[in-house]
Amino acid sequence: MPRTTSTAAAVSALLAAAALGLSPHQAQAADTDAATAATSGPADTSSSSRLRFHDIPGSGGITLKGNVFTPADAESGRTYPLIVLPTSWGLPQIEYVAQAKQLADSGYVVVSYTSRGFWLSGGQIEVAGPPDVADVSAVIDWALAHTPADARHIGLGGVSYGAGISLLASAHDPRIKAVVALSGWADIVDSIYSGRTQHLQAAGLLGAAGYLTGRPGPELQGILGDFLGSRLDREPQMIAWGKVRSAAYQVDRINANGPAVMMGNAWGDTIFPPNQYADFFEKLTGPKRLEFRPGDHATAEATGLLGLPNDTWTNARRWFDRYLKGERNGVDAESPVQIKSRSDSGYEGYADWKSVGSGGSEKLALSDSEHVWANVDSGADGGVVFLSSVLDQLAKAPPAASIPLLPRAFAAVWQSERYDADRRVRGTVALHTTVTPTAGDGTFVAYLYDVGPLGIGKLVTNAPYTFHGKTPGQAFGVDLDLFSTAYDVPAGHRLAVVIDTVDPLYIEHNPAGAQLTFSSPRTDPSYVSVPLREQ
């Protein structure tokens, strides 16, 4: 217990230091202090793994700051399964110390390193570009040469940035047999540019953290400037840049290598929404597992980084044990898709993602034509990055709006009848509508609310949509998938669909004075399709 407590305290102190914006040299001092706290203790430390810091050669001649845990009872001449953990965006090498220690205590060699361009690791921030992928292989090479690591049993994992790098590396290094990718991305374009709309708060937060804790290279600076500056003429180059950094476009190589892939994410992840993970999961052909829980970016696994009990990390260790040690622990016999509703504490298992909405779908007709003025926030919003979904996770308090009080000049609203039984929304809500703009460019955001008896709507899901180059006054059809979710609508409530044109989460492209009309032609009716769990 003293060791667990000191480890958690050390990690807490270090993460707090990172959040406060300490310089890289101050962070190195924090690393040293945290290492002392994590590895000091009673005299019988020989029974526990110990932390060692190393300079590890990365690709292209740079140095990566890393640390290594080895089993305390490691025998000379014996090898142990290896797990490599690249750090998250903006965090230093001590990030995984609590989980790395637990893994080492159970018989793994664990190597974690600060991703290139951050803190005291060399190079510039490449955003999971080819140099980052090559770094993974270089770290594996170093571990095989300098630790008792087993070349036949190599795993890779991480949170957020480390997850994205891990998935990409599994496409390029066939030595990797198991991957655990938590709160990451498979498609970075679909993550922060879904609906052809810039996710302003997400991109801004990542950019600020990159400048605060690392060294963005000229390419990243240019891409970020073009993205936030709405440089439509640079859109093809930005998308091509993102595809190189997205495992979804390398899934054939991953399937050819055949690693066992576990992915976890939160329903309310405002950095990497869940849809793109679910789509990627369906394309994998090897052993695989997908977990979705309430929360926001990296909050589902956050307590585990402090050494506290955590379902996500427990299952991650089970995954590594099954596919690196060969233990028959039953994780491969469980339903591959495990989800937890935002309204319930229990888990639901499904054979695949398509089965999540196995109860069929309910169509809400958007039969009345609605006309809205753009450029004004109606009060229907997706919330604030991190904060809103964390409140939903901890207090079941998602963003809310008074549906009857939404100004109809700026918000289109449709409502269902009151339900006489619960509606268990599961999966991806889909909008189909017809839009007539007064300008060639524009943005709208669609929301689905759970509306109680007093008219207060709790946000179920949302998604943005942007169009360019349309003919003013000419109608066009829109099909938009909202962000996947699992939410229970109580009996006596109703569902409401709201569409407006401004949300602080996103960059909007509506010219001054623009108007949008949402209609439902007789030959092509508008609707929202809501997938339901089988009763």
Side-chain angles (χ1 to χ4, degrees):
M1 183 63 69
R3 288 178 157 274
T4 302
T5 303
S6 63
T7 299
V11 179
S12 298
L14 188 83
L15 295 182
L20 291 172
L22 295 185
S23 71
H25 290 287
Q26 289 171 307
Q28 180 70 1
D31 273 356
T32 302
D33 292 342
T36 301
T39 60
S40 63
D44 62 348
T45 56
S46 60
S47 63
S48 179
S49 55
R50 291 177 62 86
L51 174 62
R52 293 289 182 266
F53 289 85
H54 294 272
D55 286 347
I56 302 174
S59 65
I62 72 161
T63 297
L64 301 170
K65 295 295 181 178
N67 59 65
V68 179
F69 270 109
T70 54
D73 57 353
E75 302 173 3
S76 177
R78 180 182 172 188
T79 58
Y80 300 84
L82 169 67
I83 296 176
V84 175
L85 303 172
T87 57
S88 300
W89 184 271
L91 290 181
Q93 58 180 302
I94 205 74
E95 175 187 6
Y96 301 111
V97 65
Q99 289 300 321
K101 183 180 184 303
Q102 292 182 34
L103 287 163
D105 285 345
S106 65
Y108 291 95
V109 172
V110 185
V111 179
S112 178
Y113 67 93
T114 304
S115 299
R116 69 164 51 221
F118 288 102
W119 300 100
L120 294 180
S121 280
Q124 297 176 323
I125 300 174
E126 300 285 349
V127 195
D132 289 296
V133 173
D135 284 343
V136 172
S137 294
V139 171
I140 291 173
D141 292 341
W142 180 89
L144 294 177
H146 295 87
T147 74
D150 185 347
R152 300 168 300 167
H153 301 98
I154 297 174
L156 191 59
V159 175
S160 185
Y161 193 48
I165 291 174
S166 295
L167 287 174
L168 284 160
S170 72
H172 294 270
D173 195 326
R175 295 175 296 180
I176 299 167
K177 304 303 180 186
V179 175
V180 172
L182 306 177
S183 291
W185 77 90
D187 188 336
I188 201 168
V189 178
D190 195 37
S191 293
I192 62 173
Y193 195 50
S194 70
R196 209 179 176 188
T197 307
Q198 299 103 315
H199 293 209
L200 173 62
Q201 291 186 16
L205 180 65
L206 291 173
Y211 279 99
L212 179 66
T213 62
R215 300 169 300 283
E219 184 180 31
L220 173 57
Q221 294 180 43
I223 288 290
L224 192 61
D226 292 341
F227 184 78
L228 295 177
S230 300
R231 287 282 306 275
L232 191 61
D233 61 308
R234 294 282 299 166
E235 184 183 48
Q237 290 85 348
M238 288 186 281
I239 290 176
W241 179 89
K243 286 182 176 181
V244 171
R245 290 156 172 82
S246 299
Y249 296 93
Q250 302 183 41
V251 66
D252 290 343
R253 297 185 65 166
I254 295 174
N255 287 335
N257 289 337
V261 178
M262 171 183 161
M263 300 185 296
N265 204 355
W267 294 118
D269 194 323
T270 46
I271 307 293
F272 304 125
N275 302 46
Q276 45 93 31
Y277 247 21
D279 292 343
F280 177 71
F281 173 82
E282 289 292 88
K283 298 173 183 175
L284 293 172
T285 58
K288 58 184 180 179
R289 182 181 178 95
L290 178 66
E291 299 181 355
F292 284 143
R293 298 175 176 84
D296 205 312
H297 184 65
T299 63
E301 52 270 8
T303 56
L305 292 175
L306 302 178
L308 302 175
N310 180 277
D311 289 353
T312 304
W313 283 103
T314 295
N315 289 337
R317 290 194 296 273
R318 294 173 64 216
W319 192 256
F320 282 135
D321 288 346
R322 174 66 187 91
Y323 291 102
L324 296 183
K325 290 183 178 179
E327 292 184 3
R328 296 290 179 178
N329 55 20
V331 70
D332 54 331
E334 297 170 359
S335 298
V337 177
Q338 296 284 326
I339 71 172
K340 181 184 285 189
S341 167
R342 291 162 50 199
S343 313
D344 194 1
S345 59
Y347 284 93
E348 302 168 8
Y350 298 89
D352 50 34
W353 176 247
K354 295 187 296 293
S355 301
V356 171
S358 56
S361 61
E362 178 173 327
K363 282 190 175 182
L364 306 181
L366 311 183
S367 54
D368 298 328
S369 181
E370 296 281 349
H371 181 86
V372 299
W373 289 81
N375 311 115
V376 175
D377 189 341
S378 71
D381 289 324
V384 178
V385 64
F386 282 124
L387 177 61
S388 297
S389 292
V390 170
L391 287 174
D392 186 30
Q393 177 185 2
L394 300 179
K396 292 183 171 55
S402 176
I403 303 304
L405 296 182
L406 290 176
R408 296 309 198 261
F410 309 114
V413 180
W414 299 266
Q415 295 192 75
S416 72
E417 298 297 324
R418 296 191 186 277
Y419 295 119
D420 56 6
D422 293 354
R423 290 294 192 275
R424 300 181 180 182
V425 181
R426 298 291 185 274
T428 305
V429 175
L431 166 70
H432 175 75
T433 190
T434 296
V435 182
T436 305
T438 60
D441 302 328
T443 298
F444 66 83
V445 184
Y447 309 87
L448 183 70
Y449 283 98
D450 161 24
V451 184
L454 299 180
I456 301 301
K458 294 183 177 180
L459 185 65
V460 177
T461 182
N462 77 100
Y465 183 90
T466 293
F467 57 89
H468 295 289
K470 297 297 183 180
T471 302
Q474 183 172 316
F476 63 93
V478 171
D479 287 291
L480 174 65
D481 285 346
L482 279 61
F483 301 135
S484 302
T485 193
Y487 183 97
D488 299 337
V489 180
H493 288 211
R494 66 178 75 197
L495 286 172
V497 177
V498 178
I499 299 178
D500 73 1
T501 62
V502 176
D503 190 309
L505 285 174
Y506 313 112
I507 291 178
E508 54 98 1
H509 298 265
N510 298 295
Q515 302 168 50
L516 298 175
T517 299
F518 298 90
S519 59
S520 182
R522 182 173 56 82
T523 56
D524 186 20
S526 296
Y527 62 86
V528 164
S529 178
V530 181
L532 302 174
R533 176 186 175 186
E534 188 173 355
Q535 299 293 326

